[in-house]
C-alpha cells in the first residue's frame, strides 16, 4: 500500500499567505521529497470525494494553512486523515517582520525565500515521519 505522507495546503485563494501555503507544499512534495510524499486537493476533501477520502483516511498527513481559520487542518482531520503536523504560514511570516511577500497571484523575492523556508520545514517533517 502507498504510505506516502499526504501534504495538504489550504486553498487560500485571494491571499498571499494562501499562495505561499500552496507553493511551499508544491516545492516540498515535488522538489524536496518526491519519493516520500504526495499532495491531495483540499477541494476534493471538502466535497467528500470518495477516492480522495480513501487516499487520506488513516494516513499520516501534514497540513499547511495560510490563516488562523485552519481550513486544511480541520477538513483533513474531519475526513479521517491523521494530522501529524499543522504548519501555519503565519508562524514563519512573523519571523520576517516588515518584509513584503507579493500579491495573491505572484510572490516577490522575499515571498519566494520565505516560501522555501516553509517548504524546508515541511520536508523536515516528512523525513521525520518516514
Ligand atoms: S486557512 Fe485561511 S487562507 Fe487558507 S483557505 Fe482557509 S480561510 Fe483561506
Amino acid at each position: 500500500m502507498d504510505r506516502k505522507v499526504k501534504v495538504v495546503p489550504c486553498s487560500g485563494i485571494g491571499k498571499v499567505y494562501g499562495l505561499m501555503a500552496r507553493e511551499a507544499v508544491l516545492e516540498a512534495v515535488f522538489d524536496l521529497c518526491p519519493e516520500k510524499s504526495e499532495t491531495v486537493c483540499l477541494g476534493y476533501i471538502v466535497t467528500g470525494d470518495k477516492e480522495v477520502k480513501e487516499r487520506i483516511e488513516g494516513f499520516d498527513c501534514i497540513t499547511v494553512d495560510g490563516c488562523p481559520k485552519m481550513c486544511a487542518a480541520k477538513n483533513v482531520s474531519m475526513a479521517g486523515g491523521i494530522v501529524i503536523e499543522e504548519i501555519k504560514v503565519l508562524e514563519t511570516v512573523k519571523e520576517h517582520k516588515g518584509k513584503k511577500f507579493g500579491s495573491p497571484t505572484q510572490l516577490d523575492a522575499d515571498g519566494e525565500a520565505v516560501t522555501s523556508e516553509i517548504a524546508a520545514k515541511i520536508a523536515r517533517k516528512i523525513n521525520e515521519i518516514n
Side-chain angles (χ1 to χ4, degrees):
M1 188 188 277
D2 177 11
R3 298 304 304 184
K4 283 183 175 180
V5 179
K6 318 301 175 200
V7 189
V8 184
C10 75
S11 52
I13 299 298
K15 295 181 184 176
V16 67
Y17 301 139
L19 177 60
M20 290 169 77
R22 297 195 305 279
E23 291 291 325
V25 168
L26 294 177
E27 187 174 330
V29 169
F30 292 106
D31 297 341
L32 304 177
C33 302
E35 310 295 327
K36 300 175 181 172
S37 64
E38 63 179 354
T39 189
V40 181
C41 175
L42 181 64
Y44 276 130
I45 295 170
V46 171
T47 57
D49 182 88
K50 186 172 173 289
E51 187 187 322
V52 166
K53 190 172 166 56
E54 282 170 3
R55 277 175 64 199
I56 66 166
E57 200 165 30
F59 285 86
D60 292 343
C61 300
I62 296 171
T63 56
V64 186
D65 278 298
C67 87
K69 291 193 185 300
M70 302 294 286
C71 297
K74 286 177 188 166
N75 283 286
V76 168
S77 180
M78 282 193 312
I82 301 165
V83 181
I84 302 284
E85 183 82 4
E86 296 177 355
I87 291 181
K88 301 171 183 80
V89 168
L90 293 181
E91 276 184 4
T92 306
V93 162
K94 277 183 199 155
E95 296 164 12
H96 298 273
K97 282 205 172 79
K99 288 184 182 169
K100 302 279 184 232
F101 301 105
S103 73
T105 55
Q106 181 75 52
L107 298 177
D108 63 18
D110 281 341
E112 284 179 6
V114 174
T115 296
S116 290
E117 221 177 280
I118 297 166
K121 282 187 186 177
I122 299 168
R124 275 198 296 279
K125 199 68 209 178
I126 292 168
N127 286 319
E128 272 175 41
I129 293 169
N130 273 269

